[in-house]
Amino acid sequence: ATSACQVRVKIENLELKIPDVFSFSKGVAVSSPVVGPTGSFQIILRVYPSGMSSEVSDSRHVAGFIHILPPKHLKDSWSCADVRFWIWVERNNDSACVSTTTSFDQTQNSIGWNDILSGRRLQDFVTSDGELRVKAQVWNLPYVQPPTETSEPLFPGLDFSTEAKMLSFRLA
């Protein structure tokens, strides 16, 4: 069960600049910084510059996924319905884009594509110094208000419900 959620209209933008893109082994991922409000759902763009290890294909291809990090208080049971996102690779005025609207939950917290770009098309998007730019935008990510924290008492043995007694100290 998910606590009260509000769908945010704000668009989250993620970007990765992957240097020396052809040096990556299959199955090695590069991740963007975490984006999103603290205490609520956050997202990461995860890119596999040489594809995922589970792929059978021998050709070089780029895989990209949006990975959702749930807030700590919902880690066991959560869902984000109708999240819309785009992942694209760009260079100059050209881009290769994939998009979808889907739902995420604790059993499926990472969704994307195994083949955003592949083969010769991939070469067209790599800069002369070997860099690949991958971007993503995410809409409709729910905002969940974190629970108010009840702090532990600083002095658990003290009872402030009774009147304090006066103490006297004699210094010698």
Side-chain angles (χ1 to χ4, degrees):
T2 305
S3 65
C5 293
Q6 297 174 344
V7 174
R8 298 182 322 152
V9 178
K10 184 177 188 284
I11 299 171
E12 297 293 353
N13 294 296
L14 302 111
E15 182 173 358
L16 271 174
K17 292 181 180 180
I18 305 169
D20 200 15
V21 71
F22 294 116
S23 69
F24 288 84
S25 300
K26 194 175 274 197
V28 175
V30 179
S31 297
S32 72
V34 175
V35 173
T38 302
S40 188
F41 291 99
Q42 297 180 317
I43 52 177
I44 295 173
L45 170 60
R46 186 167 289 146
V47 175
Y48 295 82
S50 293
M52 299 186 62
S53 58
S54 62
E55 290 299 309
V56 183
S57 171
D58 289 334
S59 70
R60 187 169 278 283
H61 60 278
V62 175
F65 296 85
I66 294 296
H67 184 79
I68 293 193
L69 303 169
K72 289 179 184 177
H73 67 282
L74 295 179
K75 67 180 179 179
D76 295 328
S77 179
W78 61 273
S79 66
C80 297
D82 301 322
V83 175
R84 181 177 173 204
F85 65 93
W86 296 24
I87 300 175
W88 72 96
V89 181
E90 71 176 16
R91 181 171 182 214
N92 301 328
N93 293 328
D94 197 6
S95 65
C97 180
V98 289
S99 67
T100 192
T101 300
T102 189
S103 295
F104 293 83
D105 61 30
Q106 68 274 6
T107 63
Q108 189 169 3
N109 64 346
S110 189
I111 298 175
W113 293 268
N114 290 324
D115 58 351
I116 296 172
L117 275 177
S118 60
R120 289 187 188 173
R121 184 108 168 103
L122 172 59
Q123 187 64 45
D124 295 341
F125 288 92
V126 177
T127 63
S128 59
D129 59 348
E131 182 179 85
L132 184 68
R133 288 180 54 197
V134 183
K135 295 183 176 185
Q137 284 188 328
V138 179
W139 293 264
N140 300 337
L141 189 65
Y143 175 75
V144 180
Q145 184 69 37
T148 53
E149 303 218 6
T150 56
S151 60
E152 293 293 319
L154 194 54
F155 302 103
L158 290 181
D159 178 11
F160 292 103
S161 62
T162 59
E163 187 174 333
K165 294 181 182 174
M166 294 301 259
L167 295 175
S168 298
F169 293 95
R170 287 178 40 157
L171 300 173

